[in-house]
């Protein structure tokens, strides 16, 4: 990769993400229920503990599961739930070994359409559709991987000049904009849930005052 990612907001960790397709995939896998910077620093933390300059899917896939959990759980842990994430990282790496001979970049290297690339990403263990679309947008916007129809396949995350996800982060300013967007989205969802509850309560109240049919 010749492009620079700024997701860990830490120079060495971002350098690894930028040159290592596997590190980028693992960072994306970890990016849930913890701050983004923590998630995308995780691959660098693992590489240091393994004594490597890069991560190797073959090595991780074959690693003793209990020992790998210990690697992930040692402080600072790579995730809030290190045991569960250790298992997911190993499942991801086994998939890459079985399908792509351990070459993470092969997931997208010869994909000819955005639809095909999205399918490959959603096939990855731990990647649901939303995570796959965000990573597809990251590939297109930040790493120059742009098969035909990639923006459409990425859905709203592929939109130009948006600030929806990690795909739109280029530094501290855009990070703040993405966080503001997510906060506003959470607030809107909360308000919609409250309106829904209030509507159900009103319906129940009307039901109580309606005389039974005879």
């Amino acid at each position: 990769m010749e492009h620079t990612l700024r997701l860990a907001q830490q120079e060495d960790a971002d350098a690894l993400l930028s040159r290592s397709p596997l590190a980028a995939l693992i960072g994306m896998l970890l990016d849930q229920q913890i701050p983004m910077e923590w998630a995308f620093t995780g691959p660098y933390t693992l590489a240091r503990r393994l004594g490597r300059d890069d991560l190797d899917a073959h090595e991780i896939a074959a690693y003793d599961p209990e020992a790998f959990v210990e690697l992930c759980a040692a402080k600072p842990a790579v995730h809030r739930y290190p045991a569960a994430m250790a298992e997911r990282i190993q499942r991801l790496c086994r998939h890459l070994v079985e399908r792509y001979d351990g070459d993470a970049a092969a997931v997208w290297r010869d994909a000819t359409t955005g639809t095909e690339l999205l399918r490959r990403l959603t096939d990855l263990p731990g990647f649901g559709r939303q995570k796959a679309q965000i990573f597809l947008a990251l590939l297109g916007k930040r790493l120059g991987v742009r098969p035909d129809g990639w923006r459409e396949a990425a859905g709203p995350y592929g939109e130009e000049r948006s600030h929806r996800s990690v795909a739109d982060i280029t530094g501290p300013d855009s990070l703040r904009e993405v966080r503001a967007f997510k906060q506003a989205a959470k607030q809107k969802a909360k308000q919609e849930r409250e309106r829904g509850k209030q509507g159900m309560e009103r319906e129940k109240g009307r039901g109580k005052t309606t005389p039974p049919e005879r």
Side-chain angles (χ1 to χ4, degrees):
M1 296 181 181
E2 298 178 356
H3 301 71
T4 300
L5 296 178
R6 303 188 185 279
L7 304 178
Q9 300 289 295
Q10 198 261 61
E11 186 176 355
D12 290 337
D14 280 330
L16 177 62
L17 294 171
S18 299
R19 69 174 184 267
S20 171
L22 179 56
L25 275 178
I26 291 176
M28 190 73 236
L29 179 70
L30 293 171
D31 188 26
Q32 57 187 71
Q33 298 178 296
I34 60 174
M36 177 203 73
E37 299 96 321
W38 183 1
F40 283 96
T41 300
Y44 178 69
T45 301
L46 280 175
R48 291 188 65 191
R49 290 174 185 171
L50 289 166
R52 305 284 185 264
D53 293 328
D54 197 354
L55 296 172
D56 185 298
H58 291 91
E59 180 181 18
I60 294 174
Y63 215 87
D64 176 76
E66 291 185 6
F68 194 68
V69 169
E70 291 178 5
L71 275 181
C72 292
K75 295 183 179 180
V78 301
H79 197 275
R80 181 177 294 155
Y81 306 108
M85 285 302 177
E87 180 183 359
R88 291 186 186 183
I89 291 169
Q90 287 198 290
R91 286 178 56 216
L92 171 63
C93 288
R94 291 186 190 114
H95 178 91
L96 293 173
V97 169
E98 292 168 3
R99 300 283 187 89
Y100 301 99
D101 195 27
D103 181 4
V107 175
W108 53 83
R109 183 181 296 119
D110 62 350
T112 58
T113 67
T115 300
E116 180 185 4
L117 178 51
L118 180 61
R119 178 187 58 76
R120 293 185 186 188
L121 291 170
T122 54
D123 281 346
L124 297 175
F127 277 65
R129 184 175 179 84
Q130 183 184 47
K131 189 180 288 287
Q133 286 187 311
I134 292 172
F135 193 78
L136 197 162
L138 180 71
L139 289 170
K141 291 181 175 182
R142 307 272 78 87
L143 300 174
V145 179
R146 297 166 181 168
D148 289 343
W150 71 271
R151 286 192 186 275
E152 292 77 7
Y157 304 104
E159 294 175 1
E160 291 189 78
R161 293 182 292 278
S162 64
H163 291 92
R164 294 176 178 271
S165 72
V166 299
D168 302 306
I169 294 172
T170 58
D173 290 342
S174 53
L175 172 58
R176 284 191 289 271
E177 291 184 80
V178 168
R179 286 204 165 126
F181 176 88
K182 289 185 175 182
Q183 187 59 39
K186 287 181 181 179
Q187 186 63 30
K188 181 180 179 180
K190 180 180 179 181
Q191 292 172 349
E192 290 176 350
R193 286 196 299 271
E194 289 299 322
R195 284 196 292 269
K197 288 179 183 178
Q198 292 171 3
M200 290 176 66
E201 290 172 359
R202 285 195 294 271
E203 288 297 322
K204 289 180 181 179
R206 282 196 288 268
K208 290 178 182 179
T209 59
T210 302
E213 296 183 0
R214 297 181 181 277

